[in-house]
């Protein structure tokens, strides 16, 4: 980055050169410049020119490239200046001062006001459209322009922007650095993989609001010219549009998306954009702003008296904040629309459904009467093939948000280095398990990494059997623990459901501790003891048969059984009964762990217990297939029987990198605290709605794990199954994805990604109120 203070030349020196080399004279007025010295020359006859003395570090070949490009564009009817020839027929004049060689140029003068001088409120659709067309015309005209001076390293080249920002963001304060890093991660994960597909060519590279001229600053409608070719470079052509958009959006008082779409549509009309260029445009706009603030911060630290260096910094920060609030894929969908591109080039839904039925097994289910084709996810939202955005209320797998850039980056980076198994030593598995175990009670000190919650629970059963020398398993009625044979046999939801084979002799079902619909109502110590007695009695029956329990497995919050919050003290009593009988206690945290409950990292902590074995899954990898079993040293030692336990994929370096990134995001973004405050607000809104609609029988939950049970009658608690099913379809119609739970499918299950916000709560509540009102009227 060139920040050297230029040597000052007197008016007399400049006039002498102009007289001898160009045979022109007149009055000089100094103009602002970043590195060059710039002057406006007004001749006695009224003609005006721009005189530029280049910085001493500017290479001759680069100046010649600029002059050649301006001549090329002028010849094709573009409104740009061009360089005058001196008396020797050259577009560059040289002279020496202080043993340094300097280059001087005289450019034609373009009349007009600067874009920056037009108040934002005067901007309009016609101006934005014309800006897009103008930049498109420039790029189209440069298509066949080549010059060796364009192949250079330039810090303002967006192809170098990521490296520049990574090198310089250290000068920013913590808040600024976090904002820049947000966009750098998006660029790294979403844009970098596409760079090789982008068309390249020579571009102007600096169509900012100080370099664009307009017809009338009071009521601008037309771009009348483009100046300052000092940043020209060979790069990705889409960078040209990204830079123009970045500056056009700064300080814009009108709707950002309207402005952006209009500029892009105008550009596309002149130089049609490829789909891949649209894919990266928003990221490149953000990268230009990041480059601006990083370069500006460094330059200003070196020249604190040069106010020109601060021209774009403040509005750039503001625009970055505004862009962070946008959903990138939602923006892309709108850009594709204005460029008349379809949203998805894949197979239609009917073809996919038919193929699934024929080749993927008929038991593979789909959601909704009219299934959705989902092609993208970001944050708390999913997008279908038409670009329609859906609020995801049921995905507790993509825990920290769909496609969180930190998690994506971690996976990409490690996948590019190595992925192998645990028979080789690697830092990732050690670092990750240490980080994961640090969130657990001290007693739980051994971690075994697997690939799914089902696999984790089956391994937990094996551990329990090896330790207790018993196979007898206690399970909660209505529970679900996975899809392997052993897990189905441990899941009343499956073995008592359609296609189930009934309970196995070694499995013993205990009463579901349901404070709303169960035999004992309310969250009291008495109800907790009543439900715990079911476990006690089951153990007593085993004792009479000369048997003891191997394990009691229980979700820390019942999921499939109905989003049920067990009475306080239930697990502490049950755990005591099980342990006194020689069994172990397994906490299934596959659905509810990793801070979702808000008050604690793990849901079992809300019951004030420490399990002997904990199983983790779903959210652990934010969509990446991984899971874990956490246990005590003594139980782990009992598993050492001579038979090797090896898992091909469990604990691989990529999975560990991803799992570690998930833990980092939970901590860095305080997602546990967010789940607590957002969940509390959510339940307050639901409870208020309950006062107006009798259909809502119960609202329950912890953090962002919430159930809303719908009943026809609050006294009889007759399940409102059909109305619940209707509401789910109603929510889908309003672009909110929801599902049901419980034995009667009358419970709205709410477990969104933790990127879910209070604004999303308000959106959900509004639609729920509309749906309940419609049900009341029918």
């Amino acid at each position: 980055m060139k920040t050297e203070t230029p040597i000052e030349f007197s008016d007399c020196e400049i006039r002498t050169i102009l007289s001898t080399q160009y045979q022109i004279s007149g009055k000089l007025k100094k103009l602002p410049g970043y590195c060059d010295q710039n002057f406006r020359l007004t001749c006695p006859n009224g003609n005006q020119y721009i005189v530029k003395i280049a910085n001493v570090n500017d290479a001759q070949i680069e100046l010649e490239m600029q002059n050649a490009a301006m001549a090329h564009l002028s010849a094709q009817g573009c409104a740009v200046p061009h360089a005058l020839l001196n008396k020797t027929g050259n577009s560059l004049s040289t002279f020496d001062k202080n043993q340094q060689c300097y280059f001087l140029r005289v450019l034609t003068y373009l009349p007009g006001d600067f874009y920056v001088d037009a108040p934002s409120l005067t901007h309009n659709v016609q101006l934005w459209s014309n800006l897009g067309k103008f930049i498109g015309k420039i790029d189209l005209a440069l298509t066949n322009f080549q010059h060796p001076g364009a192949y250079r390293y330039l810090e303002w080249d967006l192809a170098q922007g990521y490296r520049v920002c990574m090198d310089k963001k250290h000068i920013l304060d913590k808040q600024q650095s976090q904002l820049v890093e947000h966009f750098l991660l998006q660029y790294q994960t979403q844009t970098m993989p596409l760079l090789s597909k982008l068309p390249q060519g020579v571009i102007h590279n600096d169509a900012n609001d100080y370099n664009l001229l307009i017809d009338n600053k009071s009521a601008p409608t037309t771009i009348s010219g483009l100046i300052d070719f000092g940043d020209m470079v060979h790069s990705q052509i889409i960078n040209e549009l990204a830079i123009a958009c970045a500056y056009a959006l700064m300080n814009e008082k009108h709707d950002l998306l309207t402005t952006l779409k209009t500029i892009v549509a105008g550009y596309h009309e002149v130089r049609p954009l490829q789909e891949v260029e649209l894919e990266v445009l928003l990221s490149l706009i953000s990268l230009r702003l990041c480059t601006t603030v990083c370069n500006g911060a460094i330059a200003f630290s070196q020249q604190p008296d040069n106010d020109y260096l601060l021209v774009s910094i403040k509005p750039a920060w503001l625009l970055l904040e505004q862009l962070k609030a946008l959903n990138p894929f939602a923006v892309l969908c709108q850009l594709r629309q204005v460029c008349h591109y379809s949203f998805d080039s894949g197979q239609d839904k009917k073809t996919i459904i038919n193929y699934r039925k024929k080749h993927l097994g008929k038991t593979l289910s789909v959601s909704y009467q009219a299934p959705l084709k989902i092609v993208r996810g970001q944050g708390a939202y999913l997008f279908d093939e038409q670009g329609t955005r859906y609020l995801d209320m049921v995905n507790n797998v993509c825990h920290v948000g769909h496609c969180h850039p930190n998690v994506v980056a971690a996976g990409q980076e490690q996948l590019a280095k190595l992925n192998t198994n645990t028979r080789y030593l690697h830092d990732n598995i050690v670092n990750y398990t240490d980080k994961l175990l640090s969130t657990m009670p001290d007693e739980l000190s051994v971690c075994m990494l697997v690939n799914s919650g089902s696999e984790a629970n089956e391994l937990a059963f094996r551990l329990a059997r090896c330790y207790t020398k018993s196979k007898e398993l206690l399970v909660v009625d209505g529970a679900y623990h996975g899809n392997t044979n052993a897990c189905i046999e441990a899941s009343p939801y499956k073995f008592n459901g359609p296609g189930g084979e009934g309970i196995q002799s070694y499995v013993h079902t205990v009463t579901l501790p349901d404070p709303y619909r169960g035999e004992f109502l309310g969250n009291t110590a008495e109800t907790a003891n009543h439900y715990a007695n079911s476990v006690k009695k089951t153990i007593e029956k085993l004792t009479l048969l000369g048997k003891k329990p191997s394990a009691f497995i229980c979700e820390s919050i019942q999921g499939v059984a109905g989003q049920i919050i067990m009475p306080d003290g239930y697990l502490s009593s049950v755990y005591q009964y099980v342990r006194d009988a020689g069994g172990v206690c397994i906490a299934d945290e596959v659905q509810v762990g990793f801070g979702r409950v808000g008050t604690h990292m793990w849901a079992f902590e809300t019951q004030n217990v420490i399990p002997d074995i904990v199983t983790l899954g779903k959210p652990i990898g934010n969509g990446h297939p991984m899971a874990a079993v956490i246990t005590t040293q003594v139980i782990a030692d009992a598993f050492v029987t001579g038979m090797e336990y090896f898992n091909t994929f469990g604990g691989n370096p990529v999975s560990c990198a991803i799992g570690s990134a998930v833990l980092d995001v939970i901590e860095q973004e305080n997602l546990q605290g967010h789940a607590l405050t957002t969940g509390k607000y959510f339940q307050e809104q639901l409870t208020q709605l309950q006062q107006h609609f009798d259909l809502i029988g119960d609202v329950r939950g912890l953090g962002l794990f919430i159930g809303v049970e719908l009943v026809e009658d609050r006294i009889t608690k007759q399940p409102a199954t059909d109305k619940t099913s209707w509401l789910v379809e109603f929510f889908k119609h309003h672009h909110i994805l929801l599902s049901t739970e419980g034995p009667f499918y009358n419970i709205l299950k709410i477990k969104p990604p933790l990127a879910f916000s209070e604004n999303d709560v308000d959106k959900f509540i509004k639609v729920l109120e509309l749906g309940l009102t419609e049900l009341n009227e029918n």
Side-chain angles (χ1 to χ4, degrees):
M1 184 174 175
K2 300 172 291 186
T3 59
E4 297 83 356
T5 303
I7 294 178
E8 294 289 337
F9 293 88
S10 68
D11 287 2
C12 181
E13 290 175 303
I14 297 171
R15 287 196 188 96
T16 299
I17 297 169
L18 294 176
S19 176
T20 57
Q21 293 290 328
Y22 296 93
Q23 290 78 51
I24 55 176
S25 61
K27 184 178 180 180
L28 290 168
K29 179 181 179 181
K30 190 169 185 178
L31 303 175
Y34 190 63
C35 296
D36 301 340
Q37 287 190 72
N38 300 315
F39 302 87
R40 183 172 65 205
L41 175 69
T42 303
C43 299
N45 62 4
N47 290 340
Q48 293 183 313
Y49 301 95
I50 299 297
V51 179
K52 298 177 71 70
I53 301 176
N55 184 281
V56 69
N57 289 324
D58 286 345
Q60 180 175 349
I61 192 173
E62 295 173 2
L63 298 173
E64 290 173 343
M65 177 265 295
Q66 296 174 32
N67 290 347
M70 288 187 284
H72 177 86
L73 290 171
S74 295
Q76 298 192 51
C78 296
V80 300
H82 63 270
L84 300 185
L85 300 180
N86 61 22
K87 65 180 182 180
T88 61
N90 294 317
S91 60
L92 281 177
S93 297
T94 61
F95 60 97
D96 295 327
K97 183 172 183 177
N98 297 340
Q99 297 181 333
Q100 290 278 3
C101 179
Y102 290 87
F103 294 100
L104 179 145
R105 293 176 290 167
V106 179
L107 307 181
T108 55
Y109 177 79
L110 295 184
D113 296 315
F114 288 111
Y115 193 106
V116 72
D117 291 331
S120 178
L121 292 176
T122 68
H123 296 178
N124 54 78
V125 170
Q126 188 175 348
L127 175 66
W128 301 325
S129 177
N130 190 261
L131 171 59
K133 292 176 182 177
F134 184 92
I135 299 300
K137 183 178 180 180
I138 293 291
D139 286 343
L140 196 63
L142 286 172
T143 300
N144 59 349
F145 177 77
Q146 293 290 331
H147 194 283
Y151 297 88
R152 57 173 176 156
Y153 173 81
L154 187 70
E155 287 196 342
W156 288 103
D157 177 8
L158 273 183
Q160 311 297 334
Y162 178 81
R163 185 200 63 78
V164 169
C165 292
M166 290 296 290
D167 288 347
K168 297 185 177 183
K169 63 184 178 68
H170 66 274
I171 199 171
L172 307 173
D173 64 33
K174 183 178 180 180
Q175 184 177 359
Q176 292 172 336
S177 181
Q178 288 176 343
L179 182 58
V180 167
E181 286 170 357
H182 168 82
F183 291 105
L184 293 183
L185 265 175
Q186 283 190 345
Y187 179 84
Q188 177 189 346
T189 57
Q190 305 296 326
T191 303
M192 274 188 176
L194 301 176
L195 291 179
S196 63
K197 300 179 181 180
L198 298 173
Q200 297 187 12
V202 180
I203 59 174
H204 175 274
N205 199 46
D206 197 19
N208 68 56
D209 44 3
Y210 280 84
N211 289 338
L212 287 166
L213 302 176
I214 53 177
D215 56 347
N216 184 344
K217 67 180 179 181
S218 299
T221 59
T222 304
I223 303 298
S224 61
L226 177 65
I227 63 173
D228 194 349
F229 284 66
D231 282 350
M232 288 196 74
V233 70
H234 186 278
S235 191
Q236 289 88 12
I237 297 174
I238 188 61
N239 293 345
E240 188 90 277
L241 178 60
I243 292 165
C245 289
Y247 287 101
L249 294 176
M250 278 194 281
N251 289 320
E252 186 56 64
K253 303 300 182 185
H254 298 85
D255 179 67
L256 286 181
L257 283 181
T258 299
T259 305
L260 177 62
K261 289 189 295 183
T262 307
I263 296 171
V264 171
Y267 183 98
H268 183 72
E269 187 177 327
V270 176
R271 179 192 170 267
L273 288 157
Q274 295 184 14
E275 292 181 64
V276 68
E277 292 180 299
L278 284 175
E279 184 88 18
V280 302
L281 180 58
L282 186 64
S283 174
L284 291 172
I285 292 171
S286 303
L287 183 62
R288 175 62 177 207
L289 296 168
C290 291
T291 307
T292 295
V293 297
C294 288
N295 273 339
I298 290 286
F300 189 70
S301 69
Q302 297 169 344
Q303 299 184 54
D305 296 328
N306 190 341
D307 292 337
Y308 185 74
L309 298 174
L310 288 176
V311 167
S312 299
I313 292 182
K314 289 183 179 179
W317 281 120
L318 177 60
L319 182 54
L320 283 171
E321 291 283 1
Q322 292 173 302
L323 294 180
K324 186 180 179 183
L326 299 178
N327 187 296
F329 187 67
V331 175
L332 172 62
C333 291
Q334 295 188 53
L335 295 181
R336 290 181 65 89
Q337 188 175 29
V338 299
C339 292
H340 309 294
Y341 282 120
S342 62
F343 291 100
D344 179 55
S345 57
Q347 301 177 67
D348 62 77
K349 287 187 283 190
K350 184 177 180 180
T351 300
I352 294 174
I353 291 171
N354 290 337
Y355 186 92
R356 283 165 59 109
K357 289 179 179 178
K358 185 175 181 179
H359 297 291
L360 299 182
K362 295 179 181 179
T363 60
L364 196 65
S365 66
V366 293
S367 298
Y368 302 108
Q369 296 170 7
L372 291 170
K373 181 181 180 183
I374 298 298
V375 299
R376 192 74 67 99
Q378 287 180 345
Y381 287 84
L382 294 171
F383 297 81
D384 70 9
E385 81 282 10
Q386 298 300 320
T388 304
R389 185 171 76 159
Y390 293 87
L391 178 59
D392 184 358
M393 300 290 296
V394 293
N395 200 318
N396 61 333
V397 177
C398 292
H399 188 63
V400 300
H402 292 282
C403 301
H404 193 289
N406 295 59
V407 180
V408 174
Q412 286 178 336
E413 182 179 351
Q414 183 57 50
L415 193 59
K417 295 176 181 177
L418 171 73
N419 200 20
T420 186
N421 60 60
T422 54
R423 286 198 173 109
Y424 301 101
L425 301 181
H426 198 278
D427 289 334
N428 282 14
I429 190 171
V430 175
N431 294 338
Y432 173 58
T433 54
D434 189 57
K435 187 180 295 186
L436 182 60
L437 289 172
S438 71
T439 68
M440 292 282 174
D442 291 341
E443 295 91 332
L444 296 167
S445 59
V446 179
C447 176
M448 305 176 77
L449 297 171
V450 293
N451 306 293
S452 71
S454 297
E455 192 178 340
N457 281 330
E458 181 150 345
L459 178 57
F461 300 151
R462 289 180 61 188
L463 289 167
R465 289 176 187 174
C466 287
Y467 179 70
T468 64
K469 309 304 180 185
S470 172
K471 189 179 179 181
E472 306 304 314
L473 182 65
L474 278 62
V475 300
V476 176
D477 194 17
Y480 172 68
H481 297 292
N483 60 20
T484 66
N485 281 345
C487 289
I488 289 174
E489 291 177 357
S491 302
Y493 169 74
K494 285 294 186 182
F495 65 66
N496 285 332
E501 298 178 354
I503 193 168
Q504 299 295 307
S505 61
Y506 72 93
V507 178
H508 311 276
T509 302
V510 301
T511 304
L512 172 68
D514 183 350
Y516 175 72
R517 186 176 286 278
E519 181 182 357
F520 309 104
L521 304 181
N523 183 2
T524 67
E526 185 179 6
T527 58
N529 287 331
H530 280 311
Y531 283 120
N533 279 336
S534 172
V535 177
K536 181 181 179 182
K537 291 176 181 178
T538 301
I539 293 174
E540 289 173 346
K541 290 179 181 178
L542 286 174
T543 302
L544 291 174
L545 296 172
K547 299 178 180 180
K548 69 174 183 178
S550 169
F552 165 77
I553 184 170
C554 180
E555 294 177 90
S556 303
I557 303 176
Q558 300 297 319
V560 169
Q563 311 288 98
I564 293 169
I565 311 301
M566 300 175 290
D568 295 338
Y570 169 76
L571 282 186
S572 59
S573 295
V574 170
Y575 278 22
Q576 190 63 51
Y577 293 144
V578 172
R579 285 168 174 161
D580 286 349
V584 300
C585 301
I586 303 172
D588 183 339
E589 291 268 337
V590 170
Q591 289 219 60
V592 296
F594 291 92
R596 177 167 292 277
V597 297
T599 53
H600 300 82
M601 184 68 166
W602 308 110
F604 66 74
E605 295 176 289
T606 66
Q607 286 276 326
N608 196 30
V609 295
I610 298 176
D612 301 300
I613 304 173
V614 180
T615 57
L616 311 175
K618 294 185 186 298
I620 190 172
N622 208 54
H624 179 78
M626 61 184 296
V629 178
I630 314 293
T631 189
T632 64
Q633 187 66 60
V634 65
I635 292 177
D637 288 346
F639 193 56
V640 183
T641 63
M643 178 186 294
E644 178 193 17
Y645 176 76
F646 173 69
N647 192 305
T648 302
F649 299 108
N652 70 76
V654 172
S655 294
C656 290
I658 289 172
S660 185
V662 171
L663 290 176
D664 289 342
V665 172
I666 292 172
E667 179 181 1
Q668 292 164 3
E669 299 185 8
N670 189 27
L671 292 183
Q672 181 181 320
H674 176 76
L676 179 64
T677 55
T678 307
K680 180 182 178 183
Y681 175 73
F682 203 162
Q683 289 200 57
E684 288 171 353
Q685 301 306 305
L686 288 167
T687 302
Q688 288 181 23
L689 211 57
Q690 185 181 20
Q691 310 310 312
H692 302 284
F693 295 96
D694 291 340
L695 191 63
I696 300 178
D698 190 36
V699 175
R700 53 183 179 257
L702 292 175
L704 282 174
F705 196 87
I706 299 170
V708 180
E709 184 153 358
L710 305 182
V711 295
E712 298 288 359
D713 185 284
R714 289 187 177 179
I715 303 299
T716 65
K717 299 179 183 177
Q718 177 186 347
T721 301
D722 291 342
K723 291 178 180 177
T724 308
S725 177
W726 180 90
L727 268 176
V728 169
E729 292 290 338
F730 182 81
F731 270 103
K732 179 201 171 192
H733 178 72
H734 287 82
H735 304 147
I736 296 176
L737 304 182
L738 196 61
S739 187
T740 61
E741 205 68 278
F744 308 108
Y745 301 100
N746 68 316
I747 299 163
L748 299 176
K749 64 176 177 181
I750 297 169
K751 47 180 185 175
L754 298 193
F756 186 81
S757 69
E758 289 190 4
N759 287 335
D760 296 324
V761 171
D762 294 338
K763 183 182 299 185
F764 177 90
I765 293 295
K766 180 179 179 181
V767 174
L768 178 57
E769 185 173 10
L770 286 173
L772 293 173
T773 300
E774 189 166 331
L775 283 171
N776 277 354
E777 293 173 351
N778 294 333

